[in-house]
Short mmCIF file of all heavy atoms in Angstrom, two decimals:
data_model
loop_
_atom_site.label_atom_id
_atom_site.label_comp_id
_atom_site.label_asym_id
_atom_site.label_seq_id
_atom_site.Cartn_x
_atom_site.Cartn_y
_atom_site.Cartn_z
N VAL A 162 93.53 123.22 91.56
CA VAL A 162 94.99 122.79 91.64
C VAL A 162 95.56 123.71 92.76
O VAL A 162 95.47 124.89 92.71
CB VAL A 162 95.74 123.15 90.32
CG1 VAL A 162 97.19 122.88 90.64
CG2 VAL A 162 95.26 122.33 89.22
N SER A 163 96.11 123.07 93.81
CA SER A 163 96.56 123.79 95.10
C SER A 163 97.72 122.84 95.49
O SER A 163 97.87 121.74 95.06
CB SER A 163 95.55 123.94 95.98
OG SER A 163 94.94 122.72 96.49
N PRO A 164 98.62 123.34 96.41
CA PRO A 164 99.69 122.65 96.99
C PRO A 164 99.18 121.38 97.50
O PRO A 164 98.14 121.27 98.24
CB PRO A 164 100.13 123.56 98.11
CG PRO A 164 99.95 124.81 97.51
CD PRO A 164 98.67 124.77 96.90
N GLY A 165 99.72 120.18 97.20
CA GLY A 165 99.27 118.89 97.50
C GLY A 165 98.61 118.09 96.45
O GLY A 165 98.50 116.93 96.52
N THR A 166 98.14 118.94 95.46
CA THR A 166 97.55 118.24 94.30
C THR A 166 98.48 117.32 93.62
O THR A 166 99.56 117.77 93.28
CB THR A 166 96.87 119.24 93.24
OG1 THR A 166 95.91 120.06 94.02
CG2 THR A 166 96.25 118.60 92.14
N ARG A 167 98.12 116.12 93.22
CA ARG A 167 98.78 115.04 92.58
C ARG A 167 98.30 114.97 91.13
O ARG A 167 97.17 114.81 90.87
CB ARG A 167 98.86 113.80 93.27
CG ARG A 167 99.19 114.02 94.69
CD ARG A 167 99.04 112.56 95.41
NE ARG A 167 100.04 111.53 95.07
CZ ARG A 167 101.22 111.44 95.72
NH1 ARG A 167 101.48 112.25 96.74
NH2 ARG A 167 102.03 110.60 95.24
N VAL A 168 99.38 114.90 90.24
CA VAL A 168 98.92 114.63 88.74
C VAL A 168 99.86 113.57 88.22
O VAL A 168 101.06 113.49 88.73
CB VAL A 168 98.86 115.86 87.89
CG1 VAL A 168 97.80 116.84 88.43
CG2 VAL A 168 100.28 116.54 88.08
N PRO A 169 99.43 112.65 87.24
CA PRO A 169 100.40 111.73 86.72
C PRO A 169 101.59 112.32 86.11
O PRO A 169 101.48 113.33 85.18
CB PRO A 169 99.50 110.94 85.54
CG PRO A 169 98.12 111.30 86.02
CD PRO A 169 98.15 112.64 86.72
N ALA A 170 102.72 112.00 86.49
CA ALA A 170 104.04 112.54 86.04
C ALA A 170 104.14 112.45 84.55
O ALA A 170 104.66 113.27 83.83
CB ALA A 170 105.25 111.97 86.75
N THR A 171 103.79 111.26 83.97
CA THR A 171 103.98 111.05 82.51
C THR A 171 103.13 111.80 81.62
O THR A 171 103.48 111.94 80.49
CB THR A 171 103.76 109.51 82.29
OG1 THR A 171 102.39 109.10 82.76
CG2 THR A 171 104.81 108.64 82.95
N ALA A 172 102.02 112.48 82.20
CA ALA A 172 101.07 113.16 81.36
C ALA A 172 101.27 114.74 81.37
O ALA A 172 100.49 115.46 80.91
CB ALA A 172 99.67 112.86 81.73
N THR A 173 102.32 115.13 82.15
CA THR A 173 102.52 116.55 82.35
C THR A 173 103.97 117.04 82.09
O THR A 173 104.88 116.25 82.05
CB THR A 173 102.30 116.85 83.87
OG1 THR A 173 103.23 116.05 84.75
CG2 THR A 173 100.82 116.58 84.30
N ALA A 174 103.99 118.23 81.70
CA ALA A 174 105.28 118.87 81.41
C ALA A 174 106.22 118.80 82.61
O ALA A 174 107.45 118.37 82.39
CB ALA A 174 105.23 120.27 80.85
N MET A 175 105.72 119.19 83.82
CA MET A 175 106.60 119.12 84.96
C MET A 175 107.03 117.75 85.39
O MET A 175 108.15 117.54 85.75
CB MET A 175 105.98 119.93 86.08
CG MET A 175 104.58 119.54 86.55
SD MET A 175 103.35 120.31 85.75
CE MET A 175 101.90 119.92 86.76
N GLY A 176 106.13 116.79 85.22
CA GLY A 176 106.40 115.48 85.52
C GLY A 176 107.45 114.88 84.68
O GLY A 176 108.34 114.12 85.11
N ARG A 177 107.44 115.26 83.44
CA ARG A 177 108.37 114.76 82.42
C ARG A 177 109.80 115.33 82.78
O ARG A 177 110.81 114.69 82.47
CB ARG A 177 107.95 115.03 81.05
CG ARG A 177 106.77 114.11 80.67
CD ARG A 177 106.17 114.51 79.22
NE ARG A 177 104.99 113.64 78.95
CZ ARG A 177 104.33 113.72 77.89
NH1 ARG A 177 104.50 114.68 77.09
NH2 ARG A 177 103.21 112.99 77.69
N VAL A 178 109.76 116.60 83.14
CA VAL A 178 111.10 117.19 83.54
C VAL A 178 111.54 116.47 84.78
O VAL A 178 112.84 116.12 84.71
CB VAL A 178 110.88 118.67 83.93
CG1 VAL A 178 112.05 119.16 84.79
CG2 VAL A 178 110.68 119.59 82.68
N LEU A 179 110.74 116.06 85.78
CA LEU A 179 111.31 115.57 86.92
C LEU A 179 111.82 114.05 86.46
O LEU A 179 112.77 113.48 87.05
CB LEU A 179 110.19 115.38 87.86
CG LEU A 179 109.79 116.72 88.59
CD1 LEU A 179 108.40 116.72 89.27
CD2 LEU A 179 110.85 117.28 89.44
N LEU A 180 110.98 113.38 85.61
CA LEU A 180 111.49 111.98 85.31
C LEU A 180 112.64 112.05 84.36
O LEU A 180 113.53 111.09 84.32
CB LEU A 180 110.38 111.31 84.44
CG LEU A 180 109.19 110.87 85.31
CD1 LEU A 180 108.00 110.37 84.40
CD2 LEU A 180 109.65 109.76 86.35
N ALA A 181 112.82 113.09 83.62
CA ALA A 181 113.99 113.15 82.66
C ALA A 181 115.36 113.15 83.45
O ALA A 181 116.39 112.72 82.88
CB ALA A 181 113.88 114.28 81.76
N TRP A 182 115.37 113.63 84.57
CA TRP A 182 116.65 113.70 85.37
C TRP A 182 116.55 112.79 86.51
O TRP A 182 117.43 112.86 87.47
CB TRP A 182 116.86 115.14 85.74
CG TRP A 182 117.49 115.96 84.84
CD1 TRP A 182 118.84 116.02 84.46
CD2 TRP A 182 116.87 116.81 83.77
NE1 TRP A 182 119.06 116.77 83.39
CE2 TRP A 182 117.97 117.34 82.99
CE3 TRP A 182 115.55 117.19 83.66
CZ2 TRP A 182 117.61 118.23 81.98
CZ3 TRP A 182 115.23 117.98 82.65
CH2 TRP A 182 116.19 118.63 81.75
N ALA A 183 115.63 111.85 86.59
CA ALA A 183 115.43 110.80 87.60
C ALA A 183 116.41 109.72 87.37
O ALA A 183 116.92 109.54 86.30
CB ALA A 183 114.05 110.37 87.79
N GLU A 184 116.66 108.90 88.38
CA GLU A 184 117.53 107.66 88.20
C GLU A 184 116.73 106.63 87.43
O GLU A 184 115.47 106.68 87.37
CB GLU A 184 117.83 107.06 89.53
CG GLU A 184 118.78 107.95 90.36
CD GLU A 184 120.11 108.31 89.70
OE1 GLU A 184 120.57 107.52 88.99
OE2 GLU A 184 120.68 109.38 89.94
N GLU A 185 117.46 105.81 86.68
CA GLU A 185 116.71 104.66 85.85
C GLU A 185 115.74 103.95 86.63
O GLU A 185 114.74 103.62 86.16
CB GLU A 185 117.86 103.81 85.20
CG GLU A 185 117.31 102.61 84.54
CD GLU A 185 116.26 102.92 83.58
OE1 GLU A 185 116.15 103.98 82.98
OE2 GLU A 185 115.37 101.96 83.34
N PRO A 186 116.05 103.35 87.81
CA PRO A 186 115.09 102.56 88.65
C PRO A 186 113.75 103.38 88.77
O PRO A 186 112.70 102.69 88.88
CB PRO A 186 115.82 102.20 89.91
CG PRO A 186 117.17 102.31 89.61
CD PRO A 186 117.25 103.52 88.58
N THR A 187 113.76 104.65 89.03
CA THR A 187 112.68 105.43 89.15
C THR A 187 111.82 105.55 87.90
O THR A 187 110.57 105.27 87.92
CB THR A 187 112.93 106.94 89.63
OG1 THR A 187 113.63 106.76 90.97
CG2 THR A 187 111.70 107.81 89.85
N ILE A 188 112.47 105.72 86.77
CA ILE A 188 111.81 105.84 85.58
C ILE A 188 111.15 104.45 85.14
O ILE A 188 110.00 104.40 84.77
CB ILE A 188 112.83 106.25 84.38
CG1 ILE A 188 113.35 107.67 84.64
CG2 ILE A 188 112.15 106.16 82.99
CD1 ILE A 188 114.47 108.04 83.79
N ALA A 189 111.98 103.35 85.41
CA ALA A 189 111.42 102.07 85.05
C ALA A 189 110.21 101.70 85.86
O ALA A 189 109.23 101.24 85.37
CB ALA A 189 112.59 100.96 85.31
N ARG A 190 110.15 102.19 87.24
CA ARG A 190 109.05 101.87 88.01
C ARG A 190 107.72 102.63 87.65
O ARG A 190 106.73 102.15 87.65
CB ARG A 190 109.35 102.22 89.50
CG ARG A 190 108.32 101.93 90.51
CD ARG A 190 108.75 102.23 91.92
NE ARG A 190 109.15 103.52 92.20
CZ ARG A 190 110.37 104.03 92.42
NH1 ARG A 190 111.36 103.25 92.31
NH2 ARG A 190 110.55 105.28 92.67
N VAL A 191 108.04 103.90 87.17
CA VAL A 191 106.88 104.83 86.84
C VAL A 191 106.40 104.19 85.54
O VAL A 191 105.08 104.03 85.41
CB VAL A 191 107.29 106.18 86.61
CG1 VAL A 191 106.24 107.10 85.96
CG2 VAL A 191 107.77 106.84 88.01
N LEU A 192 107.12 103.93 84.62
CA LEU A 192 106.60 103.36 83.33
C LEU A 192 106.02 101.97 83.44
O LEU A 192 105.03 101.63 82.75
CB LEU A 192 107.79 103.32 82.21
CG LEU A 192 108.38 104.62 81.80
CD1 LEU A 192 109.39 104.39 80.80
CD2 LEU A 192 107.37 105.60 81.36
N ALA A 193 106.55 101.15 84.43
CA ALA A 193 105.97 99.81 84.57
C ALA A 193 104.61 99.93 85.28
O ALA A 193 103.85 98.93 85.10
CB ALA A 193 106.88 99.00 85.43
N ALA A 194 104.28 100.96 85.92
CA ALA A 194 103.11 101.14 86.63
C ALA A 194 101.91 101.37 85.66
O ALA A 194 100.67 101.25 86.09
CB ALA A 194 103.04 102.30 87.55
N GLY A 195 102.14 101.74 84.41
CA GLY A 195 101.13 101.85 83.43
C GLY A 195 100.69 103.26 83.36
O GLY A 195 99.73 103.65 83.90
N PRO A 196 101.38 104.13 82.51
CA PRO A 196 100.99 105.49 82.43
C PRO A 196 99.49 105.63 82.08
O PRO A 196 99.02 105.00 81.10
CB PRO A 196 101.86 105.99 81.27
CG PRO A 196 103.13 105.04 81.41
CD PRO A 196 102.48 103.75 81.71
N PRO A 197 98.72 106.41 82.85
CA PRO A 197 97.32 106.56 82.57
C PRO A 197 97.09 107.40 81.31
O PRO A 197 97.84 108.26 81.08
CB PRO A 197 96.81 107.16 83.86
CG PRO A 197 97.95 107.99 84.29
CD PRO A 197 99.23 107.22 83.99
N ALA A 198 95.91 107.12 80.64
CA ALA A 198 95.49 107.98 79.42
C ALA A 198 94.46 108.95 80.04
O ALA A 198 93.33 108.63 80.25
CB ALA A 198 94.85 106.99 78.44
N CYS A 199 94.90 110.16 80.39
CA CYS A 199 94.01 111.21 80.96
C CYS A 199 93.06 111.74 79.85
O CYS A 199 91.98 112.20 80.02
CB CYS A 199 94.91 112.37 81.52
SG CYS A 199 95.93 111.65 82.88
N THR A 200 93.54 111.84 78.49
CA THR A 200 92.83 112.35 77.51
C THR A 200 93.23 111.58 76.20
O THR A 200 94.24 110.78 76.33
CB THR A 200 93.12 113.80 77.28
OG1 THR A 200 94.48 113.96 76.58
CG2 THR A 200 93.20 114.71 78.48
N PRO A 201 92.60 111.71 75.16
CA PRO A 201 92.90 110.89 73.90
C PRO A 201 94.38 111.32 73.48
O PRO A 201 94.95 110.58 72.66
CB PRO A 201 91.86 111.42 72.92
CG PRO A 201 90.63 111.76 73.77
CD PRO A 201 91.24 112.35 75.05
N ARG A 202 94.87 112.53 73.88
CA ARG A 202 96.25 112.95 73.49
C ARG A 202 97.23 112.43 74.27
O ARG A 202 98.49 112.61 74.03
CB ARG A 202 96.22 114.38 73.39
CG ARG A 202 95.20 114.93 72.39
CD ARG A 202 95.48 116.48 72.14
NE ARG A 202 96.67 116.91 71.60
CZ ARG A 202 97.14 118.01 71.20
NH1 ARG A 202 96.31 119.07 71.40
NH2 ARG A 202 98.32 118.20 70.71
#
């Protein structure tokens, strides 16, 4: 993990913070893209 590393927003605490205060079109687009299952949890 270093600057520039990308991780799915829906599967991370920081991504969920960013989405929680994002505009609705952004949230809808991210959820419509199909949140990936990185682990069984």
Side-chain angles (χ1 to χ4, degrees):
V162 176
S163 58
T166 297
R167 309 174 69 92
V168 293
T171 52
T173 59
M175 57 265 198
R177 289 173 180 174
V178 162
L179 295 168
L180 286 173
W182 279 275
E184 297 296 331
E185 168 57 27
T187 298
I188 298 170
R190 183 173 65 252
V191 172
L192 297 183
C199 302
T200 75
R202 299 187 64 173

